Amino acid sequence: QVHLVESGGGMVQAGDSLRLSCAASGRTFSSYAMGWFRQAPGKERSFVARITQSGGRTDYADSVKGRFTISRDNAKNTVYLQMNNLKFEDTAIYYCAADTAYGGSYTYEYLYWGQGTQVTVSS
């Protein structure tokens, strides 16, 4: 089992940048594929980005491609989401998630979830 804690959210203006962090407990962090999802008010939770166990492969939602970068530091048990050129529509609660297998773009593929961190972008 792994416990996930997100941090780094906040209120910014359109065009600004933020870096989210997700710290994981446990000694097997490197065995988990990690994902970032977000949920805006009144909407379902949606895929943002994912990264494989080694960090060798990443995938992004079309809406964030070219602006967001997911990365991980297995020595620090942490996954990051660098968000640049933020837009009003990026406003949401951002969640990190862990999966022992592939870790795709659907919420049901992930076993463990953090509590979320709020990102608010003003236009």
Side-chain angles (χ1 to χ4, degrees):
Q1 188 171 351
V2 62
H3 182 60
L4 304 173
V5 179
E6 302 95 334
S7 61
M11 184 177 296
V12 297
Q13 294 185 332
D16 286 351
S17 298
L18 275 177
R19 188 176 80 156
L20 305 183
S21 299
C22 173
S25 65
R27 295 176 291 178
T28 60
F29 175 73
S30 60
S31 67
Y32 292 94
M34 300 297 296
W36 283 99
F37 289 75
R38 66 187 181 186
Q39 188 166 17
K43 295 187 177 181
E44 294 187 352
R45 196 170 299 188
S46 63
F47 171 73
V48 175
R50 62 171 286 268
I51 188 167
T52 53
Q53 285 82 343
S54 67
R57 176 176 173 174
T58 58
D59 294 292
Y60 299 90
D62 287 343
S63 59
V64 306
K65 204 170 292 184
R67 299 188 299 122
F68 290 11
T69 302
I70 187 172
S71 62
R72 66 190 297 162
D73 186 337
N74 286 342
K76 295 183 178 179
N77 284 10
T78 303
V79 62
Y80 305 98
L81 185 68
Q82 177 67 43
M83 306 186 295
N84 296 331
N85 191 22
L86 282 160
K87 302 178 180 180
F88 175 75
E89 51 265 38
D90 295 319
T91 296
I93 300 174
Y94 283 72
Y95 299 89
C96 71
D99 179 49
T100 56
Y102 175 72
S105 58
Y106 298 97
T107 56
Y108 66 77
E109 296 179 281
Y110 291 82
L111 291 174
Y112 306 107
W113 292 83
Q115 83 291 344
T117 185
Q118 176 71 49
V119 172
T120 303
V121 184
S122 59
S123 57

